[in-house]
């Protein structure tokens, strides 16, 4: 989220919501959009394949065919460029690679865009006109954009639209990606993933050596924790396809098959290919589930031994910081002590570390601080969670967590009433700070950054340019802006590179002392001494540089975003014109099918109905927690699918009848048909918040005594079609096909 909800209320004149249904998935956030409508007469535009509760409040609703978001945005850009409505000054001064976007947009006439997306040409023209003439506009999205085989391209084309319109780095503008759960942003920032270290540090040796130093452990010791040194630098299996590492049905690239699975803090049944997940669970030697409620991973398996369920505390029984969707941190206090024999997440991990003999190394960093420019042990014990928060603050520099000390975060919690909800500005004793210190918050004197890439604000007050991450030039073209893009108050006019030990004197025009040269780190991301940050603060310079945004990513399979039909497309006539990618080798240690799967047959002949997933407001994730509530379960007492009466009639299905839904993978689920005109006769829509039934088989007997939820049901992910993003490997949840059969 480049901006924040209060900023939308305070400044946005239009809100383009695409791939999101915030009225259901994030109702508190949606409240702000409604306030913007009331306060600013902001126009709410909702683009969704289903007429959602958010669409019901929209000024403009556009029904899109799933998997065609890139085509839709190019259709808007076609109109904008054709009429000269783009922000020419912004593009010329702050963007690289827009010429290729402009060329691609020429192909997407309103007629072709209508043909691909299903949105009428006149609505495309109307919306393009509205966006071009309404400033500032913010763009909002969620999982409906990311969960596609082209999810990476989707998440690139939307910021490109905002760059074209000049809405980036502006109040009321930006791209605001809405998180659906508490601390999703925090878990992302800590990189609970298989391809990077915490804080988005890569898997290269330099990053590992930095963390070894931060943790106070020997690099060689750390390296020996791996089967062999090379695995230290390789991606692990992703959450989406870990099961392939167990089943070994296709070639994998690992030292051995996965034999044990530890599940903590995630819903396994919220991932795609649930039938494959079940097969993998059955084949494991060991399954451990550490959750407050029984995770369905322990229920859908047919294993009868070596399954352990550890009762882990809820959020009310522990303390620490969480990160909100707008990058603000919030300290959360413990309400009650852990109940019965349950333990907190960190205590479980501490016991694990003790059992396997690395507890001292595991907690050592919490006993450390920076002394004379180096991390050193300064005490014999640690205080949880304060010392953990302080460890993160002094270590994670890539996104600027330097100011997130436990002391500051506690002060924000204790004085939340002194912050303005629209601007996030503090008053009284909190004056000069923004609530939650939205990152980057470079050091303990920095106020936080409520709006990213704002060059009209000094760096010391939360301003910055675009980050310099991709070198100083590409194909002879400078990646740095000229003096037109000077961050307010900066000593340097125009653009500059990220600051390193080698260039700091030249870039800032300073001379380091002999002592400073000894202490300073190789670059700002690994500089424990803080010298780079200190010198940049004095010059009002952002440590990560001031560069152009790049619309062209030359290291990606698609340097500029391209429309590619979903793996299982309902429009086989478009597959040849807009094919998916070639099959992929060794991404997250597995091969992934793209073109071979898409062209294996005309999937739409046997599976003619589009499959769309949705959330319901009373359930989250796999619904593990909420379905244990009698009252929340009463709202949605059983799994269902919304189906248009016309489509239902084709199969002799009446409202309330049971029906089978079959997938191209040969899986099926049995659900109740609920008549709804929110979906058109070419698609159905169903929630993904149920589990406990697998392909018609009730798994209730597998719940430990007293743990069965009030309601169980089929998981929609049992029939989620095969398909994964080319970069992130996130499943293609939202662009599949199915076949309907009356039960």
């Amino acid at each position: 989220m480049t901006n924040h909800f209060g900023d939308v209320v305070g400044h946005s004149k239009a809100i383009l919501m695409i791939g999101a249904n915030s009225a259901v998935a994030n109702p508190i956030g949606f409240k702000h959009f409604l306030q913007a409508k009331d306060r600013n007469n902001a126009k709410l535009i909702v683009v969704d394949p289903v007429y959602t509760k958010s669409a019901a409040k929209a000024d403009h609703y556009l029904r899109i065919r799933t998997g065609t978001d890139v085509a839709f945005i190019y259709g808007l850009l076609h109109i904008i460029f054709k009429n000269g409505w783009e922000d020419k000054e912004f593009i010329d001064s702050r963007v690289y690679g827009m010429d290729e976007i402009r060329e691609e947009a020429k192909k997407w006439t309103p007629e072709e865009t209508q043909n691909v997306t299903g949105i009428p040409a006149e609505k495309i023209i109307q919306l393009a006109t509205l966006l071009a003439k309404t400033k500032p506009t913010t763009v909002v999205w969620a999982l409906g954009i990311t969960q596609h085989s082209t999810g990476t391209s989707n998440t690139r084309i939307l910021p490109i639209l905002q760059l074209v319109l000049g809405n980036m780095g502006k109040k009321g503008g930006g791209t605001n990606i809405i998180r659906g759960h508490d601390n999703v942003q925090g878990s992302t920032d800590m990189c609970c993933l298989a391809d990077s270290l915490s804080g988005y540090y890569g898997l290269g040796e330099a990053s590992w050596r930095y963390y070894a130093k931060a943790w106070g452990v020997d690099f060689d010791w750390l390296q020996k924790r791996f089967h062999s040194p090379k695995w230290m630098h390789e991606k692990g299996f992703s959450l989406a396809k870990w099961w392939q590492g167990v089943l070994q049905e296709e070639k994998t690239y690992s030292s051995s098959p996965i034999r044990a699975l530890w599940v903590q803090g995630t819903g396994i049944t919220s991932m795609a290919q649930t039938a494959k997940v079940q097969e993998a669970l059955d084949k494991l030697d060991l399954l451990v589930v550490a959750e407050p409620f029984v995770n369905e991973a322990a229920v859908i398996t047919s294993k009868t031994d070596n399954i352990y369920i550890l009762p882990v505390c809820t959020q009310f029984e522990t303390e620490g910081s969480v990160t909100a969707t707008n990058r603000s941190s919030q300290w959360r206090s413990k309400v009650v002590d852990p109940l019965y024999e349950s333990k907190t997440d960190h205590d479980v991990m501490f016991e694990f570390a003790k059992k396997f003999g690395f507890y001292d190394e595991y907690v050592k960093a919490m006993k450390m601080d920076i002394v004379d420019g180096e991390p050193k042990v300064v005490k014999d014990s640690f205080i949880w969670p304060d010392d953990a928060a302080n460890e993160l603050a002094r270590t994670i520099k890539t996104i600027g967590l330097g100011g997130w000390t436990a002391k500051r975060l506690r002060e924000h919690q204790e004085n939340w009433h002194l912050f303005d909800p629209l601007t996030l500005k503090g008053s009284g004793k909190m004056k000069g700070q923004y609530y939650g210190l939205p990152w980057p918050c470079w050091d303990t004197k920095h106020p936080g950054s409520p709006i990213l890439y704002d060059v009209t604000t000094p760096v010391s007050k939360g301003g910055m340019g675009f980050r310099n991450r991709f070198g100083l030039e590409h194909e002879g073209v400078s990646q740095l802006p000229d003096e037109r893009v000077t961050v307010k108050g900066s000593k340097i006019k125009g653009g500059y590179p990220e600051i390193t030990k080698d260039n700091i004197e030249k870039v800032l025009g300073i001379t380091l002392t002999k002592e400073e040269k000894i202490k300073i780190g190789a670059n700002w991301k690994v500089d424990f001494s803080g010298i780079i940050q200190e010198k940049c603060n004095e010059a009002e310079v952002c440590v990560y540089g001031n560069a152009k945004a790049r619309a062209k990513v030359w290291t990606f399979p698609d340097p500029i975003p391209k429309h590619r039909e979903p793996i299982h497309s309902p429009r086989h006539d478009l597959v040849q014109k807009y094919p998916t990618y070639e099959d992929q080798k060794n991404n997250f240690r597995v091969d992934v099918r793209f073109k071979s799967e898409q062209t294996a047959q005309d999937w739409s002949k046997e599976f003619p109905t589009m499959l769309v997933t949705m959330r319901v407001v009373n359930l989250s994730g796999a619904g593990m927690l909420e379905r244990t509530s009698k009252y929340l379960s009463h709202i949605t007492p059983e799994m269902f699918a919304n189906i248009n009466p016309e489509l239902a009639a084709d199969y002799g299905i009446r409202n309330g009848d049971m029906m089978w839904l079959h997938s191209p993978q040969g899986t099926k689920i049995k659900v109740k048909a609920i008549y709804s005109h929110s979906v058109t006769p070419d698609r159905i829509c169903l929630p993904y918040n149920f589990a406990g039934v697998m392909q018609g088989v009730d798994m209730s007997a597998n719940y430990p005594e007293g743990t069965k939820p009030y309601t169980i049901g089929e998981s929609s992910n049992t029939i989620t079609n095969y398909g994964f993003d080319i970069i992130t490997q996130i499943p293609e949840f939202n662009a599949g096909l199915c076949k309907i059969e009356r039960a």
Side-chain angles (χ1 to χ4, degrees):
M1 203 177 220
T2 61
N3 297 47
H4 56 92
F5 284 127
D7 177 66
V8 174
V9 177
H11 301 98
S12 296
K13 298 298 178 62
I15 304 162
L16 173 60
M17 180 186 292
I18 179 168
N21 179 16
S22 298
V24 166
N26 194 317
I28 302 302
F30 192 70
K31 176 192 74 172
H32 293 83
F33 303 151
L34 297 182
Q35 290 175 335
K37 284 170 60 68
D38 292 340
R39 179 187 175 109
N40 309 331
N41 194 29
K43 302 304 178 187
L44 176 61
I45 306 108
V46 172
V47 183
D48 201 290
V50 177
Y51 189 79
T52 63
K53 293 185 184 298
S54 298
K57 295 292 185 180
D59 297 283
H60 302 273
Y61 168 63
L62 288 76
R63 191 187 297 273
I64 191 172
R65 176 168 69 88
T66 54
T68 64
D69 302 286
V70 171
F72 167 63
I73 299 302
Y74 271 126
L76 298 178
L77 292 175
H78 177 95
I79 302 299
I80 293 167
F81 286 134
K82 183 177 180 180
N83 288 279
W85 290 337
E86 70 273 26
D87 190 324
K88 299 177 181 61
E89 172 66 16
F90 191 97
I91 294 170
D92 183 58
S93 62
R94 299 194 67 182
V95 184
Y96 170 73
M98 193 60 78
D99 288 345
E100 293 186 40
I101 298 293
R102 191 186 299 269
E103 285 302 309
E104 181 66 19
K106 288 179 180 179
K107 306 172 187 177
W108 290 95
T109 63
E111 294 73 25
E112 180 62 5
T113 306
Q114 174 179 313
N115 175 44
V116 172
T117 67
I119 300 173
E122 59 270 20
K123 286 195 173 184
I124 295 166
I125 296 170
Q126 180 188 30
L127 179 57
T129 305
L130 187 156
L131 295 177
K133 297 184 180 299
T134 307
K135 300 289 184 71
T137 291
T138 189
V139 175
V140 174
W141 75 80
L143 302 182
I145 284 294
T146 60
Q147 294 178 337
H148 294 271
S149 56
T150 56
T152 297
S153 287
N154 290 349
T155 59
R156 291 174 58 208
I157 197 66
L158 292 169
I160 287 171
L161 172 66
Q162 287 292 72
L163 292 172
V164 169
L165 295 172
N167 284 321
M168 294 300 289
K170 305 289 180 66
K171 292 180 179 180
T175 54
N176 292 310
I177 302 89
I178 303 174
R179 304 300 200 172
H181 297 286
D182 175 36
N183 204 37
V184 170
Q185 184 63 50
S187 66
T188 304
D189 294 341
M190 293 303 103
C191 294
C192 300
L193 300 166
D195 60 343
S196 63
L197 298 173
S198 296
Y200 309 97
Y201 286 81
L203 296 179
E205 184 172 319
S207 294
W208 279 113
R209 287 189 178 278
Y210 172 71
Y211 266 98
K213 194 172 183 179
W215 294 332
V217 300
D218 183 72
F219 174 79
D220 292 335
W221 174 87
L222 191 61
Q223 190 177 64
K224 288 175 183 176
R225 306 300 299 180
F226 292 83
H227 176 69
S228 68
K230 79 167 190 173
W231 295 114
M232 198 176 198
H233 312 297
E234 298 285 342
K235 295 179 183 179
F237 289 99
S238 72
L239 180 59
K241 296 202 76 177
W242 69 270
W243 47 266
Q244 196 167 315
V246 181
L247 299 178
Q248 301 283 300
E249 294 174 332
E250 302 176 51
K251 183 178 180 181
T252 60
Y253 303 81
S254 192
S255 56
S256 65
I258 296 174
R259 296 175 57 193
L261 179 68
W262 183 293
V263 181
Q264 187 167 353
T266 191
I268 286 295
T269 53
S270 65
M271 282 289 106
Q273 309 294 299
T274 307
K276 290 295 183 184
V277 169
Q278 184 184 43
E279 286 183 50
L281 292 170
D282 290 348
K283 192 175 178 181
L284 288 170
D285 293 342
L286 173 69
L287 172 63
V288 180
V289 175
E291 295 280 356
F293 297 84
V294 177
N295 188 304
E296 267 76 17
V299 174
I300 66 173
T301 178
S302 299
K303 279 179 64 66
T304 57
D305 59 1
N306 290 326
I307 301 177
Y308 297 87
I309 300 178
L310 308 182
V312 172
C313 296
T314 65
Q315 64 181 39
F316 303 106
E317 299 160 88
T318 187
E319 186 171 357
S321 65
V322 295
T323 307
T325 191
N326 71 308
R327 299 167 283 105
S328 285
S329 185
Q330 300 181 75
W331 196 266
R332 188 168 59 194
S333 297
K334 182 171 65 174
V335 178
V336 296
D337 289 329
L339 300 176
Y340 309 111
E341 74 274 24
S342 64
K343 291 184 179 296
T344 63
D345 285 292
H346 62 274
D347 278 331
V348 169
M349 300 313 295
F350 289 163
E351 291 299 322
F352 184 97
K354 289 175 183 177
K355 180 70 175 178
F356 286 89
F358 60 89
Y359 174 76
D360 290 341
E361 292 85 355
Y362 192 52
V363 301
K364 188 175 181 180
M366 289 186 285
K367 304 173 187 177
M368 301 174 71
D369 204 346
I370 304 300
V371 179
D372 200 26
E374 293 286 336
K376 295 179 181 178
V377 174
V378 296
K379 55 186 180 179
D380 296 328
S381 60
F382 61 89
I383 298 172
W384 181 273
D386 297 61
D387 286 325
N390 292 336
E391 176 192 338
L392 296 178
R394 67 173 175 267
T395 304
I396 297 181
K397 302 177 183 297
T398 44
I399 53 175
L401 300 192
W404 282 17
T405 61
K407 179 177 182 294
R408 289 189 86 190
L409 297 180
R410 284 183 181 277
E411 287 178 343
H412 278 238
Q413 180 203 40
E414 293 164 0
N415 296 282
W416 64 268
H417 59 290
L418 296 178
F419 292 91
D420 184 276
L422 295 188
T423 65
L424 304 186
K425 288 182 178 179
S427 60
K429 64 186 296 185
M430 307 311 293
K431 187 175 182 180
Q433 301 182 59
Y434 293 102
Y435 180 66
L437 304 169
W439 63 254
C441 178
W442 299 113
D443 56 31
T444 54
K445 296 180 181 179
H446 196 270
S449 307
I451 298 175
L452 295 180
Y453 318 126
D454 176 13
V455 296
T456 66
T457 299
V459 171
S460 61
K461 305 297 182 183
M464 70 206 78
F466 292 124
R467 185 171 175 174
N468 176 228
R469 294 180 61 197
F470 311 108
L472 300 182
E473 67 171 40
H474 180 251
E475 296 182 346
V477 179
S478 174
Q479 297 299 294
L480 303 181
D482 58 31
E483 291 190 10
R484 288 176 293 176
V485 187
T486 298
V487 181
K488 186 176 181 179
S490 177
K491 177 181 179 180
I492 302 174
K493 303 301 180 183
Y496 48 86
E498 62 177 349
I499 308 302
T500 69
K501 179 179 181 178
D502 292 336
N503 71 15
I504 187 170
E505 292 179 301
K506 180 179 180 181
V507 174
L508 298 187
I510 61 173
T511 301
L512 298 176
T513 66
K514 183 178 180 180
E515 184 180 35
E516 286 173 334
K517 289 179 180 179
I518 294 172
K519 292 181 180 179
I520 195 171
N523 59 63
W524 63 278
K525 298 184 286 291
V526 296
D527 180 29
F528 286 113
S529 73
I531 292 172
I532 292 178
Q533 186 65 62
E534 177 187 341
K535 300 300 182 181
C536 285
N537 289 348
E538 294 172 359
E540 287 287 358
V541 164
C542 182
V543 290
Y544 73 47
N546 177 19
K548 290 184 176 182
R550 66 170 185 172
K552 178 182 179 180
V553 183
W554 50 89
T555 56
F556 276 13
D558 283 335
I560 64 168
K562 295 285 185 71
H563 169 63
R564 294 179 180 274
E565 280 293 304
I567 302 299
H568 294 140
S569 173
R571 292 286 305 276
H572 193 68
D573 59 309
L574 293 177
V575 167
Q576 186 172 359
K577 187 174 184 180
Y578 303 110
T580 189
Y581 304 96
E582 296 295 327
D583 289 3
Q584 188 179 43
K585 296 289 185 183
N586 192 14
N587 188 16
F588 292 95
R589 303 194 186 188
V590 299
D591 292 344
V592 187
R593 303 192 305 274
F594 284 89
K595 195 170 184 179
S596 66
E597 178 73 16
Q598 186 184 61
T599 59
Q601 65 184 75
D602 180 353
W603 296 102
S604 62
K605 287 184 177 179
E606 187 179 350
F607 303 93
T609 303
M610 284 185 279
L611 183 69
V612 185
T613 58
M614 66 176 180
R615 300 178 93 152
V616 291
V617 73
N618 56 300
L619 302 177
S620 64
M624 293 183 298
L625 188 156
E626 295 89 351
R627 287 187 285 107
T628 63
S629 164
K630 176 166 53 177
Y631 305 104
L632 293 176
S633 296
H634 181 72
I635 299 171
T636 48
E638 57 190 320
M639 176 59 173
F640 65 94
N642 287 335
I643 184 170
N644 188 284
E646 280 187 45
L647 179 60
D650 291 341
Y651 297 93
I653 296 172
R654 295 191 176 189
N655 190 39
D657 282 352
M658 299 301 291
M659 60 181 177
W660 286 102
L661 304 177
H662 299 264
S663 81
Q665 270 61 59
T667 55
K668 62 181 181 178
I669 60 174
K670 188 178 182 181
V671 299
K672 176 172 281 191
I674 300 296
Y675 280 6
S676 175
H677 288 280
S678 66
V679 286
T680 47
D682 58 355
R683 67 196 80 192
I684 62 167
C685 186
L686 64 167
Y688 59 85
N689 313 105
F690 286 82
V693 178
M694 280 293 295
Q695 302 196 75
V697 178
D698 189 328
M699 311 292 284
S700 295
N702 290 350
Y703 283 97
E705 184 179 352
T707 67
K708 181 185 175 183
Y710 284 98
T711 180
I712 63 174
E714 296 270 17
S715 169
S716 66
N717 287 325
T718 302
I719 60 168
T720 297
N721 291 196
Y722 184 95
F724 302 89
D725 180 74
I726 192 75
I727 301 293
T728 66
Q729 214 171 91
I730 193 167
E732 190 158 51
F733 289 103
N734 291 304
L737 298 175
C738 70
K739 176 174 62 178
I740 299 171
E741 177 189 8
R742 188 171 184 271

